[in-house]
Amino acid sequence: MPQQERAQRTRDTVLRAAGEAFAEKGFLGTSMADIFARAGVTKGALYFHFSSKEELAFAVISAGEELGNVVVQEVLASDAPPLQKLIDISIRWASYIQTDPIVRANVRLIVEQGTYSRDVPNSYDPWEQVASLLLKDAQERGELERSVDVKALAEFIVAAFTGAQIVSYATSGYKDLVRRVENMWQLLLVGLVPQGNPIIFFSRPYR
């Protein structure tokens, strides 16, 4: 195996192990020794790629953000109505949280702001921007009540989704997260969709 490919595989292995550790124990509860033991690599191999635990944590956050962007772009490329796209994005992301340690770690590490020596990138604004664009599109198509303030609604949806993640983790280790998100949408749609519009469906666009 070429040296560059081997180095990339080692980096990916370390990143995955770090995601698992951070998802389970958080930043303060995880040590570099935990990570290289879990990854099955030497201490030297780990420090070759990441000089500190904080650098590794931010790499995990970045990897999670990249996965989130993939989810958004794939759903946006579909031919579903805009409100359905927003639902699909949230349910698919909830599914990733349930199944992918990198995503679970991303969520936990972002919530642990104030733990690090530098600021965590604001991951909430991009979600709100996507939500606002889709809600505005839905409103222009007559699929969302005209009286709704789309910016305020986008902020509320992101906050409600974030709260669902926190409660789901505390009560079931994310096992009921998708159900909670579906319930959130079922309650919201009663007041958001004009009478006579088709009922939004839950397509469960999981991996």
Side-chain angles (χ1 to χ4, degrees), residues 186-197:
Q186 287 167 349
L187 293 169
L188 281 174
L189 292 174
V190 172
L192 295 178
V193 178
Q195 290 186 355
N197 271 31

Side-chain angles (χ1 to χ4, degrees), residues 5 10 44 76 136 140 163 189 194 204:
E5 182 180 349
T10 299
L76 291 181
K136 183 179 180 181
E140 290 174 350
L189 292 174
R204 294 181 177 268

Side-chain angles (χ1 to χ4, degrees), residues 1-198:
M1 184 186 303
Q3 184 175 355
Q4 185 175 1
E5 182 180 349
R6 184 165 59 249
Q8 184 60 49
R9 288 196 178 185
T10 299
R11 186 184 188 281
D12 291 344
T13 299
V14 170
L15 199 64
R16 191 78 176 177
E20 293 173 354
F22 287 137
E24 292 175 11
K25 302 179 181 180
F27 181 77
L28 294 179
T30 299
S31 69
M32 292 293 266
D34 294 333
I35 295 169
F36 67 71
R38 189 184 294 256
V41 301
T42 65
K43 186 176 181 180
L46 188 153
Y47 279 103
F48 175 79
H49 293 283
F50 302 100
S51 61
S52 67
K53 184 173 71 168
E54 184 168 302
E55 182 183 345
L56 188 47
F58 275 73
V60 170
I61 292 173
S62 179
E65 298 301 297
E66 290 175 8
L67 286 170
N69 187 56
V70 169
V71 168
V72 170
Q73 295 307 316
E74 288 181 353
V75 174
L76 291 181
S78 72
D79 58 359
L83 195 52
Q84 179 64 53
K85 287 181 180 179
L86 186 54
I87 293 170
D88 288 349
I89 288 170
S90 64
I91 294 178
R92 187 171 177 188
W93 188 241
S95 178
Y96 265 85
I97 292 172
Q98 288 180 322
T99 60
D100 193 307
I102 293 290
V103 174
R104 285 199 302 277
N106 167 275
V107 170
R108 181 162 184 171
L109 292 170
I110 288 173
V111 170
E112 293 179 351
Q113 295 190 55
T115 305
Y116 319 107
S117 64
R118 50 182 168 139
D119 292 336
V120 176
N122 186 337
S123 67
Y124 300 112
D125 282 352
W127 290 110
E128 289 180 3
Q129 290 168 10
V130 170
S132 293
L133 289 172
L134 290 172
L135 291 169
K136 183 179 180 181
D137 192 9
Q139 198 171 54
E140 290 174 350
R141 290 161 54 110
E143 298 167 359
L144 180 67
E145 288 288 352
R146 288 288 180 182
S147 60
V148 172
D149 182 330
V150 295
K151 185 177 186 301
L153 178 57
E155 291 176 354
F156 175 78
I157 289 171
V158 172
F161 183 50
T162 302
Q165 295 170 38
I166 294 171
V167 175
S168 177
Y169 173 72
T171 58
S172 71
Y174 294 125
K175 290 179 182 178
D176 65 353
L177 179 57
V178 168
R179 178 186 63 79
R180 287 180 180 274
V181 175
E182 289 181 340
N183 288 345
M184 177 190 81
W185 279 112
Q186 287 167 349
L187 293 169
L188 281 174
L189 292 174
V190 172
L192 295 178
V193 178
Q195 290 186 355
N197 271 31

